[in-house]
Amino acid sequence: MIPKNIKLLFCIPFVIIICYLGYLMNRYSSIPDTIPIHGYGNNADGFGSKKFLFLPVVLNLIILMFIWMCIRKPDSMKFSFEVKEEDKAKTYYMLQMVLVVIAIFVTIMTTLLFSDVVYG
């Protein structure tokens, strides 16, 4: 059973993705057809199509699916310590909370991956 607050917090990455997609679709026509895909700032050493701007969304959704599978079945996780029966609920809750925080962090980082192209 997944606690309600874990489910609600896990919605945050999807809100971030939807906002990123909305902003990207709004700015898509003003982005040049060729964008830097490797390097930082003015030091680009690789270029590609602006379709690469959707790559963070796809990567993020794959990562979120994996994290959600771990959240759904915390008992399948291998711990480096023995989980006592009386502490099982608390340990699983903490694991799920950490996974949600990781999901939010990963989503923020992947949407910032092309920030100088999309937001610049």
Side-chain angles (χ1 to χ4, degrees):
M1 180 78 172
I2 302 170
K4 189 175 184 176
N5 61 341
I6 297 290
K7 289 179 183 178
L8 289 173
L9 287 173
F10 196 74
C11 291
I12 293 173
F14 294 100
V15 171
I16 295 170
I17 290 171
I18 290 169
C19 291
Y20 172 79
L21 280 174
Y23 188 76
L24 177 61
M25 297 309 291
N26 189 31
R27 299 256 332 208
Y28 194 74
S29 61
S30 66
I31 297 172
D33 289 333
T34 303
I35 61 167
I37 58 170
H38 191 260
Y40 294 97
N42 295 331
N43 301 326
D45 59 355
F47 296 91
S49 171
K50 66 181 178 180
K51 293 178 184 175
F52 275 105
L53 296 173
F54 293 100
L55 183 64
V57 174
V58 173
L59 291 174
N60 200 8
L61 290 175
I62 292 169
I63 292 169
L64 289 176
M65 283 189 320
F66 175 74
I67 291 174
W68 181 249
M69 288 185 332
C70 293
I71 288 173
R72 280 186 52 216
K73 296 185 178 184
D75 53 337
S76 66
M77 301 292 289
K78 302 291 184 199
F79 293 100
S80 61
F81 55 90
E82 184 180 336
V83 180
K84 297 179 182 174
E85 195 63 40
E86 62 268 8
D87 295 334
K88 202 175 260 192
K90 183 178 177 183
T91 303
Y92 289 168
Y93 177 79
M94 290 303 294
L95 172 68
Q96 291 169 329
M97 188 61 76
V98 167
L99 288 171
V100 166
V101 169
I102 290 171
I104 293 169
F105 178 76
V106 166
T107 302
I108 291 170
M109 295 310 294
T110 56
T111 55
L112 292 178
L113 194 61
F114 292 103
S115 62
D116 56 337
V117 177
V118 178
Y119 306 118

